[in-house]
């Protein structure tokens, strides 16, 4: 059980597997106004940076679930590095369908809503683990500007313009599902640069160290295409943010 290999190679040096910077996560942690002891469930927790830094800075406890063995291992190492291994737990498991035995104060899926077939399905999944009156954190992409054609959308790496909503439409969709949007923190282009560009050096170093690996051709292809795609399309068209929801 694991995620596609291209991600465990290209993002192996990432602490954050989305367009947030450490400063953005710090902002999000502050605006949530969490009390010490707040318990968070994070589905698709990656390398654990959100839970680990919030445990250090806000005294929260947390459980992270991620399908990547590498990222889950890195999360445990990060917890030890920050001295919070007694406050956060990381489980290598498929987050799709995961329901906590004990309900939490905050349930999050920050950038992996494919686990529920999209934002609506992931919200439904998270609510099964959430205490009444708790908060949901949903990390989701949106169009900063609408691509003029489906061909441009495909150049961004998706199938069609219909794959994402605009920011106003995304916020309205949460309202339609019966939730108040009570906070949001949005990534910026610098965050996209750090997320995407950091992959390129990692892939180049991997190719130098693994020239005969059977997967080298795929990594070379990705490295060749990714910088051009990012500067021409991703950086201009993609937005991303974490939206804080409370049921009505």
């Amino acid at each position: 059980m694991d995620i596609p290999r291209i991600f465990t190679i290209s993002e192996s040096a990432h602490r954050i597997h989305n367009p947030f910077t450490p400063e953005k996560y710090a902002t999000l942690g502050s605006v949530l106004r969490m009390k010490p002891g707040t318990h968070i469930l994070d589905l698709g927790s990656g390398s654990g940076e959100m839970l680990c830094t919030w445990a250090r800075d806000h005294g929260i406890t947390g459980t992270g679930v991620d399908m990547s063995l590498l990222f889950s291992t890195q999360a445990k190492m990060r917890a030890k590095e920050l001295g919070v291994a007694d406050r956060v737990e990381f489980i290598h498991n498929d987050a799709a369908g995961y329901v906590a035995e004990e309900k939490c104060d905050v349930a999050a899926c920050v950038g992996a809503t494919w686990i529920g077939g999209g934002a609506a399905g992931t919200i439904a999944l998270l609510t099964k683990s959430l205490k009444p009156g708790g908060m949901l954190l949903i990390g989701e992409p949106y169009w900063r500007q609408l691509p003029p054609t489906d061909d441009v959308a495909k150049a961004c790496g998706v199938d069609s313009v219909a794959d994402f909503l605009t920011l106003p439409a995304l916020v309205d969709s949460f309202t339609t599902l019966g939730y108040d949007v009570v906070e949001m923190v949005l990534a910026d282009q610098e965050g996209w640069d750090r997320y995407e560009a950091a992959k390129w050096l990692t892939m180049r170093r991997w190719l130098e160290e693994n020239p005969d690996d059977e997967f080298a051709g795929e990594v070379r292809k990705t490295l060749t295409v990714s910088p051009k795609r990012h500067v021409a399309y991703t950086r201009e068209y993609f937005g991303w943010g974490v939206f804080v929801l409370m049921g009505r």
Side-chain angles (χ1 to χ4, degrees), residues 218-233:
E218 184 66 25
V219 176
R220 163 48 62 192
K221 178 182 176 182
T222 302
L223 176 57
T224 300
V225 170
S226 291
K228 300 173 186 178
R229 171 179 286 170
H230 176 61
V231 298
Y233 297 102

Side-chain angles (χ1 to χ4, degrees), residues 13-75:
H14 283 50
R15 282 185 175 167
I16 299 172
H17 302 278
N18 61 57
F20 261 14
T21 59
E23 293 77 15
K24 291 289 185 178
Y25 265 130
T27 297
L28 180 61
S30 295
V31 300
L32 291 178
R33 309 175 196 174
M34 296 177 292
K35 297 178 181 179
T38 296
H39 186 68
I40 301 175
L41 173 67
D42 186 11
L43 299 186
S45 51
S47 295
E49 192 71 2
M50 184 179 81
L51 290 183
C52 288
T53 55
W54 288 1
R56 178 195 63 192
D57 298 339
H58 301 284
I60 63 97
T61 64
T63 300
V65 182
D66 199 275
M67 197 174 186
S68 168
L69 178 58
L70 172 63
F71 297 163
S72 298
T73 300
Q74 290 177 335

Side-chain angles (χ1 to χ4, degrees), residues 89-111:
E89 174 189 20
F90 293 99
I91 301 169
H92 174 228
N93 203 346
D94 187 354
Y98 185 91
V99 178
E101 293 182 4
E102 185 174 340
K103 292 188 182 296
C104 59
D105 302 295
V106 178
C109 182
V110 180

Side-chain angles (χ1 to χ4, degrees), residues 145-192:
Q145 55 176 317
L146 278 174
T149 66
D150 279 344
D151 286 341
V152 174
K154 289 176 181 178
C156 293
V158 301
D159 291 331
S160 72
V161 176
D163 282 8
F164 294 156
L165 299 172
T166 63
L167 181 57
L170 179 59
V171 169
D172 188 56
S173 73
F174 297 136
T175 302
T176 300
L177 290 171
Y179 290 86
D180 289 321
V181 179
V182 298
E183 258 290 1
M184 70 177 188
V185 178
L186 303 182
D188 54 25
Q189 287 177 306
E190 170 64 16
W192 276 110

